Amino acid sequence: MKQQKLRIMTVDANFAKSMRITWGTQHASIQGEDLQLVLDQTSGSAAQTKIPFLFGSIESKIKLVPNNSAGTVTAYYLSSTGSAHDEIDFEFLGNVSGEPYIVHTNIYTQGNGSREQQFYLWFDPTADFHNYTIHWNPSQVVWFIDSIPIRVFSNYENEGIAYPNKQGMKVYTSLWNADNWATRGGLVKTNWTNAPFIARLNHFRARACKWNGPISINNCASNNVPSNWWASPIYKQLSYAQMGQLNWVRSNYMIYDYCKDTKRFNGQLPPECFKTQF
């Protein structure tokens, strides 16, 4: 009987089938595989998936706002709803022409965030499309860029550290004006003479478990269900080669790690900072 209740849904559809525009409908657009987000002085724009997920791999190719993108933020993230929400973030903080984008990552568990890690990129993210993937399973969350892992958040729930494994999350993407903080802490403002600002996304794939309410907490985590590929032991930790890639990124391109910001936390770093994450 239990097997009959399983509704493991793998979504492998384009933007038009998977997402809907929720903000800026007057200038954002979805056409098949392509989503275009637009920001001008009237508004930004946003889209979200029609259904939530619990565990799997969420990916999209993104071409960020070119030239002077200072003050703008392109966001691509998973989130549940409510004050005790879970969230897994990619945010891309714009900059003046010639200066690098900052990749801002964060994870919220039960409404608590403040787990930021930031990176520069090893390529120009405005020149072409690049793949940004959030891989999320019962063991760990991994942020990938072009199949290279840049960050890991491991499950230490059995030691009292919250982990996002009990709330379905939709996928969201948006382009908005955040010039009060996005570029150099808000010192550089959006130059509206460069508007409209356009971010382009394509090849959205959610190879993930559809959230069907509380029953999904166990169903989507089970490694006894063949379609739950993300629960396979092979995905419990990074491979040796992936560890090498992760260390390369973190040694050369990481610019902020909350776990090293003792001043911010008055010397009381969050407990996960003392755990092995990868």
Side-chain angles (χ1 to χ4, degrees):
M1 289 296 293
K2 188 174 182 179
Q3 288 295 322
Q4 293 176 355
K5 291 182 180 179
L6 293 176
R7 293 185 179 88
I8 309 303
M9 178 179 178
T10 296
V11 178
D12 195 8
N14 58 27
F15 274 116
K17 293 180 180 178
S18 303
M19 282 198 165
R20 60 185 179 88
I21 294 171
T22 55
W23 178 42
T25 53
Q26 75 276 19
H27 52 205
S29 63
I30 295 177
Q31 292 184 324
E33 283 278 13
D34 300 303
L35 167 63
Q36 180 172 286
L37 298 175
V38 179
L39 166 67
D40 60 24
Q41 283 185 287
T42 65
S43 82
S45 49
Q48 68 181 53
T49 53
K50 298 171 184 176
I51 60 172
F53 306 97
L54 182 68
F55 303 136
S57 185
I58 309 296
E59 68 176 280
S60 183
K61 292 184 177 180
I62 305 175
K63 186 177 182 180
L64 295 174
V65 175
N67 304 318
N68 186 353
S69 57
T72 72
V73 172
T74 305
Y76 167 63
Y77 61 102
L78 287 155
S79 184
S80 59
T81 57
S83 59
H85 77 293
D86 293 338
E87 186 175 326
I88 306 168
D89 294 344
F90 267 118
E91 288 185 306
F92 306 95
L93 314 185
N95 215 331
V96 295
S97 298
E99 294 296 317
Y101 261 85
I102 291 174
V103 180
H104 177 97
T105 66
N106 200 0
I107 182 167
Y108 288 74
T109 54
Q110 298 173 18
N112 297 313
S114 300
R115 298 185 178 99
E116 300 90 347
Q117 292 183 359
Q118 294 182 335
F119 306 82
Y120 287 142
L121 290 165
W122 50 96
F123 55 84
D124 179 357
T126 72
D128 204 352
F129 288 90
H130 291 268
N131 184 295
Y132 302 89
T133 296
I134 295 169
H135 183 80
W136 168 38
N137 67 26
S139 301
Q140 59 182 10
V141 177
V142 186
W143 291 251
F144 289 91
I145 299 177
D146 289 338
S147 300
I148 295 175
I150 67 165
R151 179 179 183 177
V152 179
F153 184 84
S154 294
N155 186 349
Y156 285 100
E157 189 176 44
N158 61 350
E159 298 185 38
I161 298 169
Y163 186 80
N165 57 8
K166 297 178 180 65
Q167 300 183 50
M169 294 197 272
K170 290 184 178 181
V171 186
Y172 298 83
T173 184
S174 58
L175 173 59
W176 49 292
N177 176 40
D179 68 3
N180 61 323
W181 66 272
T183 306
R184 294 184 60 206
L187 293 177
V188 182
K189 302 300 183 183
T190 302
N191 185 343
W192 293 108
T193 63
N194 297 312
F197 302 97
I198 298 174
R200 304 177 192 277
L201 297 85
N202 65 30
H203 192 81
F204 172 74
R205 296 291 183 269
R207 296 183 298 124
C209 191
K210 180 184 176 183
W211 170 257
N212 285 308
I215 191 174
S216 296
I217 294 172
N218 290 323
N219 288 353
C220 292
S222 173
N223 59 9
N224 295 319
V225 180
S227 56
N228 284 5
W229 61 271
W230 50 83
S232 168
I234 195 174
Y235 294 110
K236 283 191 173 182
Q237 61 187 42
L238 299 181
S239 69
Y240 181 79
Q242 288 174 326
M243 287 285 291
Q245 292 175 321
L246 181 82
N247 285 319
W248 172 76
V249 171
R250 297 175 75 82
S251 296
N252 293 284
Y253 296 99
M254 185 179 222
I255 59 172
Y256 178 79
D257 181 359
Y258 75 106
C259 280
K260 295 180 180 177
D261 196 344
T262 54
K263 183 178 179 181
R264 174 184 178 185
F265 296 101
N266 295 317
Q268 300 293 317
L269 291 172
E272 68 270 12
C273 294
F274 301 97
K275 302 296 181 182
T276 299
Q277 293 296 337
F278 46 83

